[in-house]
Coordinates of all heavy atoms in Angstrom, one line a residue:
M1 N 118.6 118.7 107.7 CA 119.1 119.3 106.5 C 119.0 120.9 106.8 O 118.0 121.3 107.1 CB 118.4 118.9 105.4 CG 118.8 119.6 104.0 SD 117.8 119.2 102.6 CE 118.0 117.5 102.4
N2 N 120.1 121.6 106.6 CA 120.0 123.0 106.7 C 119.6 123.7 105.3 O 119.7 123.0 104.3 CB 121.3 123.6 107.4 CG 122.5 123.4 106.4 OD1 122.4 123.3 105.2 ND2 123.6 123.2 107.0
S3 N 119.3 125.0 105.4 CA 118.9 125.6 104.2 C 120.0 125.7 103.1 O 119.6 125.6 101.9 CB 118.4 127.0 104.5 OG 119.4 127.8 105.0
C4 N 121.2 125.8 103.5 CA 122.2 125.9 102.5 C 122.3 124.5 101.7 O 122.5 124.5 100.5 CB 123.6 126.1 103.0 SG 123.8 127.8 103.8
T5 N 122.2 123.4 102.4 CA 122.2 122.2 101.7 C 121.0 122.0 100.8 O 121.2 121.4 99.7 CB 122.3 121.0 102.8 OG1 123.4 121.3 103.7 CG2 122.4 119.6 102.2
A6 N 119.8 122.4 101.3 CA 118.7 122.3 100.4 C 118.8 123.2 99.2 O 118.5 122.7 98.2 CB 117.3 122.6 101.2
D7 N 119.3 124.4 99.4 CA 119.5 125.3 98.3 C 120.3 124.7 97.2 O 120.2 124.8 96.1 CB 120.0 126.7 98.8 CG 118.9 127.5 99.5 OD1 117.8 127.1 99.5 OD2 119.3 128.4 100.3
D8 N 121.5 124.2 97.8 CA 122.6 123.7 96.9 C 121.9 122.4 96.1 O 122.2 122.3 94.9 CB 123.7 123.2 97.7 CG 124.5 124.3 98.3 OD1 124.3 125.4 97.8 OD2 125.2 124.0 99.2
K9 N 121.2 121.6 96.7 CA 120.6 120.4 96.0 C 119.6 120.9 95.0 O 119.6 120.4 93.9 CB 120.0 119.5 97.0 CG 121.0 118.7 97.9 CD 120.3 117.7 98.8 CE 121.4 116.9 99.5 NZ 121.0 115.7 100.0
L10 N 118.8 121.9 95.3 CA 117.8 122.3 94.4 C 118.5 123.0 93.3 O 117.9 123.0 92.1 CB 116.7 123.3 95.1 CG 115.8 122.6 96.1 CD1 115.1 123.7 96.8 CD2 114.9 121.6 95.3
M11 N 119.5 123.8 93.5 CA 120.2 124.5 92.3 C 120.8 123.5 91.4 O 121.0 123.9 90.2 CB 121.1 125.4 92.9 CG 120.7 126.6 93.7 SD 119.7 127.7 92.7 CE 121.1 128.7 92.2
A12 N 121.1 122.4 91.8 CA 121.8 121.4 91.0 C 120.8 120.7 90.1 O 121.2 120.0 89.1 CB 122.6 120.4 91.8
L13 N 119.5 120.8 90.4 CA 118.5 120.1 89.5 C 118.2 120.9 88.3 O 118.2 122.1 88.3 CB 117.2 120.0 90.3 CG 117.3 119.1 91.6 CD1 116.0 119.1 92.3 CD2 117.7 117.6 91.2
S14 N 117.8 120.1 87.2 CA 117.4 120.9 86.0 C 115.9 121.3 86.1 O 115.2 121.0 87.1 CB 117.4 119.9 84.8 OG 116.4 118.8 84.9
L15 N 115.5 122.1 85.2 CA 114.1 122.6 85.2 C 113.1 121.4 85.1 O 112.1 121.5 85.9 CB 113.8 123.6 84.1 CG 114.5 124.9 84.2 CD1 114.2 125.7 83.0 CD2 114.1 125.7 85.5
E16 N 113.4 120.4 84.4 CA 112.6 119.2 84.3 C 112.4 118.5 85.6 O 111.3 118.1 86.1 CB 113.1 118.3 83.2 CG 112.1 117.1 83.0 CD 112.6 116.2 81.8 OE1 112.9 116.8 80.7 OE2 112.6 115.0 82.1
Q17 N 113.6 118.4 86.3 CA 113.6 117.7 87.6 C 112.9 118.5 88.6 O 112.1 118.0 89.4 CB 115.0 117.5 88.1 CG 115.7 116.5 87.2 CD 117.2 116.4 87.5 OE1 117.9 117.4 87.7 NE2 117.8 115.2 87.6
L18 N 113.0 119.8 88.6 CA 112.3 120.7 89.5 C 110.8 120.6 89.3 O 110.0 120.6 90.2 CB 112.7 122.2 89.3 CG 114.1 122.4 89.9 CD1 114.6 123.9 89.5 CD2 114.2 122.4 91.4
D19 N 110.4 120.6 88.0 CA 109.0 120.4 87.7 C 108.4 119.1 88.2 O 107.3 119.1 88.7 CB 108.8 120.5 86.1 CG 107.4 120.6 85.8 OD1 106.6 121.4 86.3 OD2 106.9 119.8 84.8
Q20 N 109.2 118.0 88.1 CA 108.8 116.7 88.6 C 108.6 116.8 90.1 O 107.6 116.2 90.6 CB 109.7 115.6 88.2 CG 109.7 115.3 86.7 CD 110.8 114.2 86.3 OE1 111.6 114.0 87.2 NE2 110.6 113.7 85.2
L21 N 109.5 117.4 90.7 CA 109.5 117.6 92.2 C 108.3 118.3 92.6 O 107.6 118.0 93.6 CB 110.8 118.3 92.7 CG 110.9 118.4 94.2 CD1 110.9 117.2 94.9 CD2 112.1 119.2 94.5
Q22 N 108.0 119.4 91.9 CA 106.8 120.2 92.2 C 105.5 119.4 92.1 O 104.7 119.5 92.9 CB 106.8 121.5 91.3 CG 105.6 122.4 91.5 CD 105.7 123.1 92.9 OE1 106.7 123.6 93.3 NE2 104.5 123.1 93.6
R23 N 105.4 118.6 91.0 CA 104.2 117.8 90.8 C 104.1 116.7 92.0 O 103.0 116.5 92.4 CB 104.4 117.1 89.5 CG 103.9 118.0 88.3 CD 103.8 117.3 87.0 NE 105.2 117.5 86.5 CZ 105.8 116.7 85.6 NH1 105.2 115.8 85.1 NH2 107.0 117.0 85.2
K24 N 105.3 116.2 92.4 CA 105.1 115.2 93.4 C 104.7 115.9 94.8 O 103.9 115.3 95.5 CB 106.5 114.6 93.7 CG 106.9 113.5 92.7 CD 108.3 112.9 93.0 CE 108.8 112.0 92.0 NZ 110.2 111.4 92.2
L25 N 105.2 117.0 95.1 CA 104.9 117.8 96.2 C 103.4 118.2 96.1 O 102.6 118.0 97.2 CB 105.7 119.1 96.4 CG 107.2 118.8 96.8 CD1 108.0 120.1 96.8 CD2 107.3 118.2 98.2
D26 N 102.9 118.6 95.0 CA 101.5 118.9 94.9 C 100.6 117.7 95.1 O 99.5 117.8 95.7 CB 101.2 119.5 93.4 CG 101.8 120.9 93.3 OD1 102.1 121.6 94.3 OD2 102.0 121.3 92.1
L27 N 101.0 116.6 94.7 CA 100.2 115.3 94.7 C 100.2 115.0 96.2 O 99.2 114.6 96.8 CB 100.9 114.2 94.0 CG 100.2 112.9 94.1 CD1 98.8 113.0 93.5 CD2 101.0 111.8 93.3
K28 N 101.4 115.1 97.0 CA 101.4 114.8 98.4 C 100.5 115.7 99.2 O 99.8 115.3 100.1 CB 102.9 114.8 99.0 CG 103.6 113.7 98.5 CD 104.9 113.6 99.3 CE 105.8 112.5 98.9 NZ 105.5 111.3 99.7
V29 N 100.5 117.0 98.8 CA 99.6 117.9 99.5 C 98.2 117.6 99.4 O 97.3 117.6 100.2 CB 99.9 119.4 99.1 CG1 98.9 120.3 99.5 CG2 101.3 119.9 99.5
A30 N 97.9 117.3 98.1 CA 96.5 116.9 97.7 C 96.0 115.6 98.6 O 94.9 115.6 99.0 CB 96.3 116.7 96.2
E31 N 96.9 114.7 98.6 CA 96.6 113.5 99.4 C 96.5 113.7 100.8 O 95.5 113.2 101.4 CB 97.7 112.4 99.1 CG 97.8 111.8 97.8 CD 99.1 111.0 97.5 OE1 99.9 110.9 98.4 OE2 99.1 110.3 96.5
K32 N 97.2 114.6 101.4 CA 97.1 114.9 102.8 C 95.8 115.6 103.0 O 95.0 115.3 104.0 CB 98.3 115.8 103.2 CG 98.3 116.2 104.6 CD 99.1 115.3 105.4 CE 99.2 115.9 106.9 NZ 100.1 115.1 107.7
K33 N 95.4 116.6 102.1 CA 94.2 117.3 102.4 C 93.0 116.3 102.2 O 92.0 116.4 103.0 CB 94.0 118.4 101.3 CG 94.8 119.6 101.6 CD 94.7 120.7 100.6 CE 95.5 121.9 100.9 NZ 95.3 123.0 99.9
A34 N 93.0 115.4 101.3 CA 92.0 114.4 101.1 C 91.9 113.5 102.4 O 90.8 113.2 102.8 CB 92.2 113.6 99.9
A35 N 93.0 113.1 102.9 CA 93.0 112.3 104.1 C 92.4 113.0 105.4 O 91.6 112.4 106.1 CB 94.4 111.8 104.5
I36 N 92.7 114.3 105.4 CA 92.2 115.1 106.5 C 90.7 115.2 106.3 O 89.9 115.1 107.3 CB 92.8 116.5 106.5 CG1 94.2 116.3 107.1 CG2 92.0 117.5 107.4 CD1 95.1 117.7 107.0
K37 N 90.2 115.5 105.1 CA 88.8 115.6 104.8 C 88.0 114.4 105.1 O 87.0 114.4 105.6 CB 88.6 116.2 103.3 CG 87.2 116.5 103.0 CD 87.1 117.0 101.6 CE 85.6 117.4 101.3 NZ 85.6 118.0 99.9
Q38 N 88.6 113.3 104.6 CA 88.0 112.0 104.8 C 87.9 111.7 106.3 O 86.9 111.2 106.8 CB 88.8 110.9 104.2 CG 88.2 109.4 104.3 CD 86.9 109.4 103.6 OE1 86.5 110.0 102.6 NE2 86.0 108.5 104.2
A39 N 89.0 111.9 107.1 CA 88.9 111.6 108.5 C 88.0 112.5 109.3 O 87.5 112.2 110.3 CB 90.3 111.8 109.1
S40 N 87.7 113.8 108.8 CA 86.8 114.7 109.4 C 85.3 114.5 109.1 O 84.5 115.2 109.7 CB 87.2 116.1 109.0 OG 88.5 116.4 109.4
K41 N 85.0 113.7 108.1 CA 83.6 113.5 107.7 C 82.7 112.9 108.9 O 81.6 113.4 109.0 CB 83.5 112.6 106.5 CG 83.8 113.4 105.2 CD 83.6 112.5 104.0 CE 83.9 113.3 102.7 NZ 83.6 112.6 101.5
A42 N 83.2 111.9 109.4 CA 82.4 111.2 110.4 C 83.0 111.6 111.8 O 84.2 111.7 112.0 CB 82.3 109.7 110.2
P43 N 82.1 111.6 112.8 CA 82.7 111.8 114.1 C 83.5 110.7 114.6 O 83.2 109.5 114.3 CB 81.4 112.0 115.1 CG 80.3 111.5 114.2 CD 80.7 111.5 112.8
P44 N 84.6 111.0 115.3 CA 85.5 109.9 115.8 C 84.7 108.9 116.7 O 83.9 109.3 117.6 CB 86.7 110.5 116.5 CG 86.2 112.0 116.7 CD 85.1 112.2 115.7
R45 N 85.0 107.6 116.5 CA 84.3 106.6 117.4 C 85.2 106.0 118.4 O 84.6 105.4 119.4 CB 83.7 105.6 116.5 CG 82.6 106.0 115.6 CD 82.1 104.9 114.8 NE 81.6 105.5 113.6 CZ 82.1 105.3 112.4 NH1 83.2 104.6 112.2 NH2 81.7 105.8 111.3
S46 N 86.5 106.1 118.3 CA 87.3 105.5 119.3 C 88.5 106.4 119.6 O 88.8 107.4 118.8 CB 87.8 104.2 118.8 OG 88.6 104.4 117.6
Q47 N 89.3 106.1 120.5 CA 90.6 106.8 120.8 C 91.5 106.9 119.7 O 92.1 107.9 119.4 CB 91.2 106.2 122.1 CG 92.5 107.0 122.5 CD 92.3 108.3 123.1 OE1 91.1 108.6 123.5 NE2 93.2 109.1 123.2
S48 N 91.6 105.7 118.9 CA 92.5 105.7 117.8 C 92.0 106.7 116.7 O 92.8 107.3 115.9 CB 92.7 104.2 117.3 OG 91.4 103.7 116.7
D49 N 90.7 106.7 116.5 CA 90.2 107.7 115.5 C 90.5 109.1 115.8 O 91.0 109.9 114.9 CB 88.7 107.7 115.4 CG 88.1 106.4 114.7 OD1 89.0 105.7 114.1 OD2 87.0 106.1 114.8
I50 N 90.5 109.4 117.1 CA 90.8 110.8 117.6 C 92.3 111.0 117.4 O 92.7 112.1 116.9 CB 90.5 111.0 119.0 CG1 88.9 110.9 119.2 CG2 91.0 112.3 119.6 CD1 88.3 110.9 120.6
E51 N 93.1 110.0 117.7 CA 94.6 110.2 117.5 C 94.9 110.3 116.1 O 95.8 111.1 115.7 CB 95.3 109.0 118.3 CG 95.3 109.0 119.7 CD 95.7 107.8 120.4 OE1 96.1 106.9 119.7 OE2 95.8 107.8 121.6
K52 N 94.3 109.6 115.2 CA 94.5 109.7 113.8 C 94.2 111.0 113.3 O 94.9 111.6 112.5 CB 93.7 108.5 113.0 CG 93.9 108.6 111.6 CD 93.1 107.5 110.9 CE 93.1 107.5 109.5 NZ 92.3 106.6 108.8
L53 N 93.0 111.6 113.7 CA 92.6 112.9 113.3 C 93.6 114.0 113.7 O 94.0 114.9 112.9 CB 91.1 113.2 113.8 CG 90.5 114.5 113.4 CD1 90.4 114.6 111.8 CD2 89.2 114.7 114.0
A54 N 94.0 113.8 114.9 CA 95.0 114.8 115.5 C 96.4 114.7 114.7 O 96.9 115.8 114.3 CB 95.3 114.5 116.9
D55 N 96.8 113.5 114.4 CA 98.0 113.3 113.7 C 97.9 113.9 112.3 O 98.9 114.5 111.8 CB 98.4 111.8 113.6 CG 99.7 111.6 112.9 OD1 100.7 112.2 113.3 OD2 99.8 110.7 112.1
L56 N 96.8 113.7 111.6 CA 96.6 114.2 110.2 C 96.6 115.8 110.2 O 97.0 116.4 109.3 CB 95.3 113.8 109.6 CG 95.3 112.3 109.2 CD1 93.9 111.7 108.8 CD2 96.3 112.0 108.0
Q57 N 96.1 116.3 111.3 CA 96.1 117.8 111.4 C 97.4 118.3 111.9 O 97.6 119.5 111.9 CB 95.0 118.2 112.4 CG 93.7 117.8 112.1 CD 92.9 118.8 111.2 OE1 93.3 119.9 111.2 NE2 91.8 118.5 110.6
G58 N 98.3 117.4 112.3 CA 99.6 117.9 112.7 C 99.6 118.5 114.2 O 100.3 119.4 114.5
L59 N 98.5 118.0 114.9 CA 98.3 118.4 116.3 C 98.5 117.3 117.3 O 98.3 116.2 116.9 CB 97.0 119.1 116.4 CG 96.6 120.2 115.4 CD1 95.2 120.6 115.5 CD2 97.5 121.5 115.8
D60 N 98.6 117.7 118.5 CA 98.5 116.7 119.6 C 97.0 116.8 120.0 O 96.2 117.5 119.4 CB 99.4 117.0 120.8 CG 99.2 118.4 121.4 OD1 98.2 119.1 121.0 OD2 99.9 118.7 122.3
L61 N 96.5 115.8 120.9 CA 95.2 115.8 121.3 C 94.7 117.1 121.8 O 93.5 117.6 121.6 CB 94.9 114.7 122.3 CG 95.1 113.2 121.7 CD1 94.8 112.2 122.7 CD2 94.1 113.1 120.5
S62 N 95.4 117.8 122.7 CA 95.0 119.0 123.3 C 94.9 120.1 122.2 O 94.0 120.9 122.2 CB 95.9 119.5 124.4 OG 97.2 119.8 124.0
G63 N 95.8 120.1 121.2 CA 95.7 121.1 120.1 C 94.5 120.8 119.3 O 93.9 121.8 118.8
L64 N 94.2 119.5 119.0 CA 92.9 119.2 118.3 C 91.7 119.6 119.0 O 90.8 120.2 118.4 CB 92.9 117.7 118.1 CG 91.7 117.1 117.3 CD1 91.8 117.7 115.9 CD2 91.7 115.6 117.3
M65 N 91.7 119.5 120.4 CA 90.5 119.9 121.1 C 90.3 121.5 121.0 O 89.2 122.0 120.9 CB 90.6 119.5 122.6 CG 90.6 118.0 122.7 SD 89.2 117.2 122.0 CE 87.9 117.6 123.0
R66 N 91.4 122.2 121.0 CA 91.4 123.6 120.9 C 90.9 124.0 119.5 O 90.0 124.9 119.4 CB 92.7 124.3 121.2 CG 93.1 124.4 122.6 CD 94.4 125.3 122.8 NE 95.5 124.7 122.1 CZ 96.4 123.9 122.6 NH1 96.2 123.4 123.8 NH2 97.4 123.6 121.9
E67 N 91.3 123.3 118.5 CA 90.9 123.6 117.1 C 89.4 123.3 117.0 O 88.7 124.1 116.3 CB 91.7 122.7 116.2 CG 91.4 123.0 114.7 CD 91.9 124.4 114.3 OE1 92.8 125.0 114.9 OE2 91.3 124.9 113.3
I68 N 88.9 122.3 117.6 CA 87.5 121.9 117.5 C 86.7 123.0 118.2 O 85.6 123.4 117.7 CB 87.3 120.5 118.1 CG1 87.8 119.4 117.2 CG2 85.8 120.3 118.3 CD1 87.9 118.0 117.8
S69 N 87.2 123.4 119.4 CA 86.4 124.4 120.1 C 86.3 125.7 119.3 O 85.3 126.5 119.6 CB 87.0 124.6 121.5 OG 88.3 125.2 121.4
K70 N 87.3 126.0 118.5 CA 87.2 127.3 117.7 C 86.1 127.3 116.7 O 85.5 128.2 116.3 CB 88.6 127.5 117.0 CG 89.7 127.9 117.9 CD 91.0 128.0 117.0 CE 92.2 128.3 117.9 NZ 93.4 128.4 117.0
R71 N 85.8 126.0 116.2 CA 84.8 125.9 115.1 C 83.5 126.0 115.8 O 82.4 126.2 115.7 CB 84.9 124.6 114.4 CG 86.3 124.6 113.7 CD 86.5 123.3 113.0 NE 87.8 123.3 112.4 CZ 88.3 122.3 111.7 NH1 87.5 121.3 111.4 NH2 89.4 122.3 111.2

């Protein structure tokens, strides 16, 4: 979807629809943050735990390792 299409679709929505969309986005962001926080609480025990943590952070495994080394 290009920006013109997104802009056109958003402009067609009423204020109430835009408000509902904003609430849904806020909820999704909060859920994603909670999932990242939950996954980060305990050290990973398996390869799938590490892959899940990397996926939640939006990183590949090497990106996750660089992020960990920064901390």
Side-chain angles (χ1 to χ4, degrees):
M1 179 187 297
N2 61 32
S3 63
C4 292
T5 306
D7 290 344
D8 293 340
K9 287 186 179 196
L10 290 173
M11 293 294 274
L13 298 176
S14 70
L15 288 177
E16 184 177 313
Q17 290 171 319
L18 288 170
D19 188 47
Q20 288 175 350
L21 180 61
Q22 180 67 44
R23 280 183 271 160
K24 284 181 184 178
L25 288 173
D26 290 342
L27 182 61
K28 285 189 181 271
V29 167
E31 289 172 352
K32 180 93 172 182
K33 285 182 180 180
I36 290 170
K37 187 174 183 180
Q38 182 65 29
S40 299
K41 281 186 177 180
R45 290 182 212 108
S46 68
Q47 180 70 20
S48 66
D49 287 347
I50 294 170
E51 289 171 354
K52 180 180 174 185
L53 183 59
D55 186 47
L56 285 171
Q57 299 268 346
L59 302 169
D60 59 4
L61 290 179
S62 61
L64 179 63
M65 297 307 289
R66 282 192 300 273
E67 186 66 28
I68 290 170
S69 68
K70 289 179 186 177
R71 297 177 186 181

